[in-house]
């Protein structure tokens, strides 16, 4: 028997990606006969139906749940992802890849990019891309999982997935139900709060069924049924620095072998994604409705497809920002009900994952210790702000003058935290990872460099290595990387041999 003060009744409201990820993780980690986990969802309301590109950390989540990768890829119609290609962001006609894996080899305790910057001043004209196996493989349409080969970049391959969001939620649902989660179909029409504390005591469905709980996870999507509509928690609006507020999506036919990366192409008032799955391509145009109409946005999306559309276009509206408190009383918001930042770096599903991990660390008992709740809220807000800064970087460092939208982005006031990073990088290419943030020096470098920032100098200590030694090492790295690339199968071959969707 669990002690009296332990939480035993958890109610998850919402069965989208957030709801089912929470259900799968909680049922695995809180596995006890006294534990009752219920999930309520409404097929009539449905899910947002997007969220197809991920980052490598999702593999940790899958490992925790004991998911077998090939089966997962097969059942979610997934492909593999080595990074994101950004086109036309700093200038029309230029593109770069933000890869998941390392550039070159850090030498003498200094990051590789400092050595590369010095080597450029000595006359080397190889692009930084020639020193990154992920970028080389992405451009060549190749993929393989990391191989345990010492001192080889093949051992450091980092990857994520591009999958069908609906199939992913279904996969999570199957796992959850196997581990004892009870699903109830129905629309929540009433929420009862304790008259004194304001804590939520129960929800009532259209069927008149009442479900009571001790702890509620709000995964109800943008509407924030518990966290906002009931508890009126409030929302910090970040549209001034991330002005896109709408999206239109459409699926299109698969035309060729799927590429092992996501494409994000900047447009007149936003950007368009292309996410290749095994059997179709996901497309969407994220834009700012203050600068273009829905009709123009749809035309831009359709003109940017590389194959025939196979679904009706779907419009979505959002407000970038985060709930003032993601955990309020006995409600924790996960997914879209917690906050939203555009999917430019595929971070939303990741934030669901980290919030679940944080929740497990701070898991309450019936006393709901406010100190733990405050800590959870502070850490969550910090994570949102760190990711927000990284996203803004793509917009504010641009030479585009071709539309009012880009003129706005170039001139907007950006957070001091981001300005400082840009200033430091511009001076001597130094980059720091703060507070264990998601994006480390590799990512900051990829985007700073990709957006066209040219640092005045680099770390002075790279000058200690004799230049002929640097030459030799850089050439060795390039040769090794090419040799490794040559051993890799194509992305399609890899899928066919291991995890082809039936
Ligand atoms: C345009 C766009 C593109 C995106 N792309 C990516 C991406 O590439 N990568 C990424 O990581 N993330 C992406 N995201 C974010 C991602 O889609 C979400 O984080 C993820 O799908 C989680 O959604 P959710 O479960 O919170 O909400 P939803 O999918 O909206 O689910 C809400 C659930 O609540 C239920 N519900 C609501 N009200 C009630 C009620 N009254 N009674 C009963 N049930 C109710 C609904 O039925 C549904 O089951 C994108 C988001 C958008 C808007």
């Amino acid at each position: 028997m669990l002690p009296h003060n332990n939480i035993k009744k958890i109610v998850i409201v919402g069965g989208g990606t957030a709801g089912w990820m929470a259900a799968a993780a909680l049922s695995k980690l809180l596995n006890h006969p006294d534990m009752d986990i219920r999930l309520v969802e409404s097929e009539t309301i449905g899910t947002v139906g997007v969220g197809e590109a991920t980052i490598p950390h999702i593999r940790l989540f899958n490992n925790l749940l004991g998911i077998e990768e090939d089966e997962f890829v097969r059942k979610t119609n997934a492909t593999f992802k080595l990074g994101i290609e950004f086109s036309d962001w700093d200038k029309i006609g230029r593109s770069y890849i933000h890869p998941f894996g390392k550039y070159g080899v850090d030498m003498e305790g200094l990051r590789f990019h400092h050595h590369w910057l010095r080597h450029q001043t000595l006359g080397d004209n190889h692009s930084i891309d020639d020193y990154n196996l992920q970028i080389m493989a992405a451009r060549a349409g190749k993929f393989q999982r990391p191989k345990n080969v010492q001192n080889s970049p093949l051992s450091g391959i980092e990857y994520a997935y591009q999958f069908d969001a609906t199939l992913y939620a279904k996969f999570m649902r199957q796992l959850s139900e196997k581990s004892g989660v009870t699903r109830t179909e129905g629309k929540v029409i009433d929420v009862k709060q304790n008259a004194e504390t304001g804590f939520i005591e129960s929800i009532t469905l259209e069927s008149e069924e009442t479900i009571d709980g001790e702890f509620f996870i709000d995964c109800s999507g943008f509407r924030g049924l518990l966290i906002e509509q009931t508890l009126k928690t409030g929302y910090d609006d970040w549209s001034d620095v991330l002005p896109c507020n709408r999206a239109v999506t459409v699926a299109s036919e698969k035309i060729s072998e799927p590429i092992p990366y996501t494409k994000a192409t900047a447009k007149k008032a936003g950007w368009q994604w292309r996410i290749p799955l095994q059997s179709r391509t996901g497309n969407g145009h994220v834009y700012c409705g203050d600068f273009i109409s829905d009709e123009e946005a749809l035309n831009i999306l359709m003109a940017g497809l590389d194959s025939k559309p196979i679904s009706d276009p779907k419009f979505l509206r959002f407000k970038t920002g985060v709930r003032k408190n993601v955990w309020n009383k006995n409600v924790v918001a996960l997914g879209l009900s917690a906050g939203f930042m555009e999917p430019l770096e595929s971070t939303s599903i990741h934030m669901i994952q980290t919030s679940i991990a944080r929740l497990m660390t701070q898991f309450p008992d019936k006393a709901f210790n406010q100190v733990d709740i405050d800590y959870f809220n502070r850490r969550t807000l910090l994570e949102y702000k760190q990711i927000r800064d990284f996203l803004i970087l793509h917009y504010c460092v641009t030479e585009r003058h071709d539309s009012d939208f880009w003129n706005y982005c170039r001139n907007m006031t950006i957070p001091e935290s981001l300005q400082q990073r840009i200033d430091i990088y511009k001076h001597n290419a130094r980059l720091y990872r703060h507070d264990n943030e998601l994006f480390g020096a590799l990512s900051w470098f990829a985007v700073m460099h990709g957006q066209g920032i040219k640092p005045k100098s680099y770390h002075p200590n790279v000058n200690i290595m004799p230049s002929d030694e640097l030459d030799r090492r850089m050439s060795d790295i390039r040769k090794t990387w090419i040799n490794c690339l040559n051993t890799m199968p194509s992305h399609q071959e890899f899928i066919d041999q291991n995890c082809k969707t039936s």
Side-chain angles (χ1 to χ4, degrees):
M1 279 263 288
L2 280 175
H4 169 73
N5 212 30
N6 269 62
I7 302 265
K8 298 181 201 70
K9 275 188 161 195
I10 301 175
V11 180
I12 300 171
V13 177
T17 300
W20 284 116
M21 279 177 81
L26 264 56
S27 57
K28 169 95 184 179
L29 299 170
L30 306 175
N31 178 13
H32 191 279
D34 289 354
M35 192 62 76
D36 173 15
I37 304 177
R38 287 189 77 167
L39 184 145
V40 179
E41 65 174 320
S42 157
E43 272 175 21
T44 322
I45 295 176
T47 66
V48 72
V50 280
E52 304 197 319
T54 63
I55 54 176
H57 307 67
I58 193 170
R59 286 165 43 219
L60 297 174
F61 188 74
N62 284 3
N63 286 344
L64 174 87
L65 297 179
I67 292 172
E68 201 271 309
E69 185 171 74
D70 285 344
E71 186 200 356
F72 173 78
V73 170
R74 228 176 274 124
K75 288 200 170 157
T76 58
N77 190 16
T79 56
F80 295 92
K81 173 178 172 188
L82 294 166
I84 305 173
E85 182 189 56
F86 293 93
S87 300
D88 302 341
W89 282 81
D90 62 320
K91 243 184 188 175
I92 292 177
R94 266 214 306 245
S95 76
Y96 65 94
I97 290 184
H98 168 196
F100 292 142
K102 280 177 75 162
Y103 292 98
V105 179
D106 294 345
M107 295 182 276
E108 319 304 328
L110 296 167
R111 291 200 182 280
F112 178 78
H113 74 267
H114 290 287
H115 294 281
W116 176 78
L117 284 165
R118 175 187 175 215
H119 205 218
Q120 295 278 296
T121 66
L122 299 175
D124 174 45
N125 56 9
H126 285 94
S127 148
I128 189 75
D129 295 3
D130 296 338
Y131 299 92
N132 185 291
L133 186 61
Q134 329 272 300
I135 296 180
M136 294 161 73
R139 298 237 187 261
K142 294 186 163 202
F143 176 78
Q144 77 171 46
R145 295 186 184 117
K147 260 190 173 169
N148 197 3
V149 189
Q150 240 194 349
N151 295 329
S152 162
L154 290 172
S155 63
I157 292 176
E158 287 285 353
Y159 65 94
Y161 315 105
Q162 308 170 119
F163 52 54
D164 180 319
T166 310
L167 295 179
Y168 180 65
K170 194 169 153 193
F171 192 92
M172 288 292 134
R173 174 177 164 184
Q174 277 166 358
L175 284 183
S176 308
E177 289 185 320
K178 251 192 227 158
S179 331
V181 173
T182 318
R183 172 189 182 272
T184 305
E185 167 62 34
K187 189 173 166 188
V188 178
I189 52 159
D190 195 29
V191 180
K192 186 167 162 242
Q193 288 174 269
N194 181 288
E196 254 171 55
T197 61
F199 275 46
I200 291 180
E201 291 181 336
S202 63
I203 53 174
T204 305
L205 310 185
E206 231 167 17
S207 62
E208 295 183 4
E209 182 185 359
T210 291
I211 299 172
D212 57 339
E214 295 158 349
F215 191 28
F216 289 80
I217 318 275
D218 186 349
C219 298
S220 63
F222 285 128
R223 53 180 58 73
L225 189 70
L226 306 181
I227 196 80
E228 196 58 54
Q229 291 185 8
T230 309
L231 296 179
K232 315 267 183 273
T233 304
Y235 194 77
D236 280 337
D237 181 348
W238 290 341
S239 312
D240 56 332
V241 281
L242 288 170
C244 288
N245 51 17
R246 293 175 193 207
V248 51
T249 66
V250 74
S252 65
E253 279 176 353
K254 170 186 171 178
I255 47 160
S256 54
E257 295 191 357
I259 49 172
Y261 59 97
T262 297
K263 276 174 177 263
T265 306
K267 300 286 175 186
K268 182 180 167 185
W271 61 278
Q272 179 157 350
W273 79 71
R274 190 180 293 165
I275 303 177
L277 307 186
Q278 286 197 36
S279 62
R280 65 163 169 84
T281 304
N283 307 276
H285 180 196
V286 174
Y287 59 99
C288 179
D290 306 353
F291 293 95
I292 53 168
S293 66
D294 289 349
E295 193 189 350
E296 188 176 1
L298 177 60
N299 290 340
I300 292 173
L301 172 70
M302 294 318 231
L305 300 186
D306 66 347
S307 57
K308 214 170 114 201
I310 50 171
S311 72
D312 290 332
K314 183 173 163 190
F315 285 91
L316 295 157
R317 288 181 180 214
F318 54 83
K319 190 190 280 179
T320 296
V322 61
R323 232 26 96 199
K324 284 190 191 295
N325 287 309
V326 169
W327 185 340
N328 189 358
K329 300 187 190 292
N330 60 340
V331 174
V332 169
L334 287 184
L336 300 175
S337 66
F340 183 65
M341 287 184 278
E342 54 181 271
L344 190 54
E345 288 281 356
S346 320
T347 42
S348 292
I349 294 174
H350 175 74
M351 284 191 283
I352 299 171
Q353 178 184 336
T354 51
S355 290
I356 293 172
R358 202 173 296 123
L359 178 60
M360 295 320 299
T361 314
Q362 306 296 128
F363 202 79
D365 59 20
K366 286 184 196 163
F368 284 96
N369 187 348
Q370 192 59 40
V371 184
D372 288 332
I373 296 176
D374 291 345
Y375 182 77
F376 181 95
N377 284 330
R378 277 201 305 279
R379 295 304 300 182
T380 308
L381 180 63
L382 178 66
E383 183 184 32
Y384 270 78
K385 284 187 171 170
Q386 288 165 337
I387 293 174
R388 175 199 65 187
D389 282 8
F390 190 58
L391 299 186
I392 298 171
L393 178 65
H394 301 66
Y395 285 101
C396 67
V397 180
T398 182
E399 291 176 29
R400 285 188 67 153
H401 289 74
D402 55 292
S403 70
D404 290 345
F405 173 80
W406 287 104
N407 291 339
Y408 174 83
C409 294
R410 237 185 25 258
N411 295 311
M412 66 191 172
T413 306
I414 60 171
E416 186 56 29
S417 42
L418 173 59
Q419 189 60 57
Q420 280 171 5
R421 280 192 205 253
I422 296 175
D423 291 345
I424 294 173
Y425 180 76
K426 273 185 178 165
H427 187 64
N428 56 21
R430 284 184 233 234
L431 293 159
Y432 305 95
R433 180 178 221 144
H434 300 297
D435 272 319
N436 201 24
E437 66 187 317
L438 171 60
F439 292 107
L442 161 96
S443 297
W444 282 97
F445 170 74
V447 179
M448 296 256 190
H449 175 70
Q451 292 290 135
I453 303 180
K454 296 206 168 23
K456 281 200 207 101
S457 189
Y458 43 78
H459 198 297
N461 294 357
V462 291
N463 290 324
I464 293 170
M465 189 185 293
S467 56
D468 53 348
E469 171 71 6
L470 177 64
D471 251 349
R472 188 185 61 72
R473 291 204 200 178
M474 297 298 266
S475 158
D476 281 354
I477 292 172
R478 284 196 309 276
K479 278 187 214 144
T480 310
W481 268 225
I482 287 176
N483 289 340
C484 290
L485 181 71
N486 289 339
T487 67
M488 291 174 72
S490 80
H491 184 211
Q492 185 68 61
E493 279 163 1
F494 185 87
I495 290 173
D496 289 347
Q497 281 159 19
N498 297 285
C499 41
K500 194 168 167 16
T501 294
S502 55

